């Protein structure tokens, strides 16, 4: 009988966290290490059901087009698998009712195809793909307590039961609550500076039974506020098992309480477009309402650290967690995982130089979505944090872009591609484009005056 020799630590990588970021990282590492161990403090469900360790699991999950493309590259055939499981494909420019700045935007093709699904369905599908890899091992119900290492090199993960799991690389995908600051300090390294933008976002979600005629001529509804006078947002998405996922929320605490039986419908009726309120009145609920609060955008600037330990990287929300209303987190995690693969191929080993290059590439990935999220949140005077230089001017120009997008299909197509991280935002700052946007923004319905305030419930 042939003796099975366990892989040496140099051929082992450990991923902390089995969310979308951790699963994408594990997929990349499985091509480059003999053994990949994925740790998670949760007991991972065998089906597509929410779990405690993913607080947004009951709420809307949106993959930007760049994220959908990245996941398709990491997991061949994933889109088809999701559709077969009940996800709904849709074109956001022609099949979604989109209301902002006083108007439902005219139907106009964006050239982008998206999918609508629940987050547990996506995580279940991706986790199944990763679990099927022969060199990946999941250890559920296990928490990481620290890092083992010396002389600037991480050599393993210390588990909460005292066990040390030796490895060559630790990828920290433990989320917003990552203990990276303490772990780095214990190894003699500085913690990254943190930028925090306090937005007080909250939303409440409830699932409803979905019928084929519930929403004539559309697949989804998205109602966004016009800051600073409006704060409330509403989203209705079709998800698997013939259900509507309806989320109602707002900035700076303006969202319905889950325990108030009347607040959900009242919040929907207060929106400046009736589409979501009509759905709620027409469709039968299948779950109780569940709330989620998000206090702040938070970004850890690993790219600015003077030194990094070899063998440790943070990824996903452990680096940057965004206002979830913008739907950027999972996309950035998938793109960062692809960057991880590129850097491992370039460096050949998880050195300190690899860490420095990885964080620089991650900062480049985060630049545009951070500008949209944290920058856009400063349109509200209540938002707290260090305001970026020129943010008021940038937000005024952003409003002009969106008004022009109502009037010009080509501007809408370009703006949507920038939002979905398919093309860089510099195209919107070219002189000819700026002049075109300023001219056409005056022709949009919302340019005739400030958009109406939210209706009282």
């Amino acid at each position: 009988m042939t003796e099975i020799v366990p892989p040496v630590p140099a051929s082992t990588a450990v991923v902390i966290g089995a969310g979308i970021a951790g699963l994408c990282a594990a997929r990349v590492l499985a091509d480059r290490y003999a053994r990949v161990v994925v740790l998670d403090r949760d007991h991972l469900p065998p089906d597509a059901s929410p779990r405690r360790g993913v607080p947004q699991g009951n709420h809307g999950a949106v993959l930007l087009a760049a994220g959908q493309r990245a996941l398709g590259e990491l997991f061949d055939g994933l889109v088809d698998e999701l559709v077969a499981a009940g996800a709904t494909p849709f074109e956001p420019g022609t099949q979604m009712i989109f209301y902002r700045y006083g108007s439902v935007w005219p139907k106009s093709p964006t050239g982008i195809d998206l999918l609508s699904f629940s987050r547990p369905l996506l995580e279940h599908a991706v986790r199944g793909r990763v679990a099927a890899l022969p060199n990946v091992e999941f250890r559920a119900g296990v928490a990481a307590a620290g890092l083992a290492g010396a002389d600037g090199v991480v050599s393993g993960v210390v588990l909460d039961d005292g066990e040390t799991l030796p490895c060559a690389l630790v990828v920290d995908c433990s989320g917003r609550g990552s203990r990276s600051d303490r772990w780095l300090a214990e190894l003699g390294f500085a913690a990254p500076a943190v930028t925090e933008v306090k937005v007080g976002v909250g939303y409440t979600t409830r699932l409803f039974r979905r019928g084929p005629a519930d929403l004539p001529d559309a697949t989804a509804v998205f109602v966004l506020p016009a800051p600073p006078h409006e704060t409330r947002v509403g989203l209705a998405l079709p998800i698997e098992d013939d259900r509507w996922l309806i989320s109602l929320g707002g900035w700076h605490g303006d969202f319905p309480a889950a325990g108030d039986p009347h607040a959900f419908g009242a919040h929907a009726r207060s929106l400046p477009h009736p589409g979501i309120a009509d759905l709620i009145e027409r469709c039968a609920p299948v779950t109780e309402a569940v709330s989620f609060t998000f206090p702040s955008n938070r970004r850890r600037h690993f790219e600015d650290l003077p030194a990094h330990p070899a063998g440790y990287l943070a990824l996903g929300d452990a680096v940057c967690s965004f206002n979830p209303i913008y739907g950027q987190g999972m996309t950035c995690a998938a793109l960062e995982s692809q960057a991880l693969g590129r850097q491992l191929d370039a460096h050949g080993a998880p050195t300190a130089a690899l860490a420095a290059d990885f964080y620089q590439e991650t900062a480049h990935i985060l630049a545009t979505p951070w500008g949209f999220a944290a920058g856009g949140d400063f349109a509200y005077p209540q938002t707290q944090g260090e305001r970026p230089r020129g943010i008021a001017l940038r937000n005024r120009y952003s409003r002009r872009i969106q008004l022009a997008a109502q009037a010009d299909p080509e501007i809408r197509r370009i703006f949507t591609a920038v939002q979905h991280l398919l093309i860089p935002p510099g195209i919107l700052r070219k002189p000819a484009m700026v002049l075109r946007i300023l001219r056409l923004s005056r022709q949009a319905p919302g340019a005739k005056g400030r958009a109406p305030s939210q209706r009282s419930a």
Side-chain angles (χ1 to χ4, degrees):
M1 183 175 179
T2 303
E3 180 183 3
I4 299 176
V5 180
V8 296
S11 65
T12 298
V14 174
V15 178
I16 304 173
I20 295 299
L23 294 171
C24 290
R27 174 66 189 89
V28 167
L29 295 172
D31 287 341
R32 296 163 175 87
Y33 286 84
R35 180 186 183 216
V36 178
V37 182
V38 181
L39 310 175
D40 201 283
R41 63 174 62 246
D42 266 4
H43 291 282
L44 304 174
D47 54 11
S49 57
R51 59 187 180 94
R52 188 176 66 176
V54 183
Q56 291 172 253
N58 292 288
H59 305 279
V62 178
L63 267 175
L64 301 183
Q68 187 171 301
R69 182 174 64 187
L71 279 179
E73 292 168 354
L74 291 169
F75 303 97
D76 185 48
L78 178 65
V79 170
D80 291 338
E81 180 181 339
L82 291 169
V83 171
T88 300
F90 71 101
E91 213 284 8
T94 60
Q95 295 179 294
M96 181 170 69
I97 297 171
F98 183 74
Y99 182 99
R100 197 176 201 192
Y101 293 121
S103 176
V104 173
W105 290 24
K107 291 185 177 181
S108 174
T110 62
I112 291 174
D113 293 315
L114 300 180
L115 282 183
S116 179
F117 45 75
S118 72
R119 178 165 179 148
L121 177 66
L122 176 65
E123 189 171 303
H124 176 66
V126 174
R127 188 167 62 244
R129 293 293 194 94
V130 175
L133 298 172
N135 59 334
V136 175
E137 169 192 345
F138 281 85
R139 294 185 63 176
V142 174
L147 301 174
D151 300 323
V153 178
V154 172
S155 58
V157 178
V158 181
L159 306 183
D160 55 356
D161 63 0
E163 176 190 355
T164 296
L165 185 59
C167 62
L169 174 62
V170 179
V171 181
D172 181 0
C173 300
S174 58
R176 181 182 173 93
S178 166
R179 302 174 187 175
S180 60
D181 292 5
R182 178 168 64 81
W183 292 350
L184 290 173
E186 290 172 350
L187 293 170
F189 289 86
V194 177
T195 297
E196 192 161 18
V197 179
K198 297 180 180 180
V199 293
V201 161
Y203 46 88
T204 299
T205 298
R206 197 172 191 186
L207 303 184
F208 292 77
R209 183 60 54 205
R210 176 165 55 95
D214 290 344
L215 197 62
D217 302 321
T219 300
V221 184
F222 195 13
V223 180
L224 275 170
H229 305 286
E230 297 176 354
T231 55
R232 295 185 175 184
V233 62
L235 174 68
L237 292 172
I239 64 170
E240 66 276 6
D241 299 325
D242 296 320
R243 296 173 296 172
W244 287 110
L245 185 151
I246 298 181
S247 289
L248 300 171
W251 278 255
H252 300 290
D254 192 7
F255 66 97
D260 185 339
H262 304 293
F264 197 77
H267 193 100
R269 289 191 297 272
S270 76
L271 296 174
H273 186 274
I276 295 176
D278 290 346
L279 274 179
I280 292 171
E281 293 175 3
R282 185 180 301 130
C283 303
V286 295
T287 66
E288 296 300 320
V290 179
S291 291
F292 173 78
T293 57
F294 181 85
S296 61
N297 300 280
R298 182 183 295 163
R299 181 173 175 182
R300 293 180 168 103
H301 294 276
F302 287 91
E303 72 276 12
D304 293 335
L305 288 176
H308 304 273
Y312 172 82
L313 296 170
L315 191 150
D317 283 1
V319 177
C320 185
S321 58
F322 301 94
N323 180 341
I325 287 175
Y326 298 107
Q328 299 163 322
M330 293 190 297
T331 291
C332 288
L335 295 173
E336 290 165 25
S337 295
Q338 290 183 311
L340 170 63
R342 288 190 292 270
Q343 294 299 336
L344 283 169
D345 292 343
H347 287 266
T351 61
L354 180 149
D357 288 348
F358 170 76
Y359 289 129
Q360 289 298 323
E361 187 168 357
T362 292
H364 179 73
I365 291 168
L366 295 174
T368 295
W370 179 261
F372 273 118
D377 287 339
F378 276 116
Y380 292 102
Q382 307 98 307
T383 299
Q384 299 177 25
E386 184 178 348
R387 292 178 178 264
R389 182 177 300 176
I391 189 61
L393 177 61
R394 292 205 298 272
N395 282 338
R396 286 197 297 271
Y397 184 56
S398 176
R399 180 178 183 274
R400 289 284 195 141
I401 293 170
Q402 294 176 72
L403 290 172
Q406 295 181 27
D408 186 302
E410 179 65 9
I411 292 176
R412 182 175 187 182
R413 185 190 64 77
I414 293 170
F415 177 63
T416 303
V418 171
Q419 280 187 309
H420 284 263
L421 309 185
L422 296 175
I423 59 176
I427 189 172
L428 294 169
R429 296 192 291 267
K430 292 183 177 180
M433 179 62 74
V434 172
L435 292 174
R436 182 177 176 183
I437 286 169
L438 294 178
R439 175 174 56 83
L440 290 171
S441 64
R442 300 185 182 96
Q443 302 174 15
K448 297 177 181 177
R450 181 173 61 80
S453 297
Q454 289 152 179
R455 300 175 293 172
S456 67

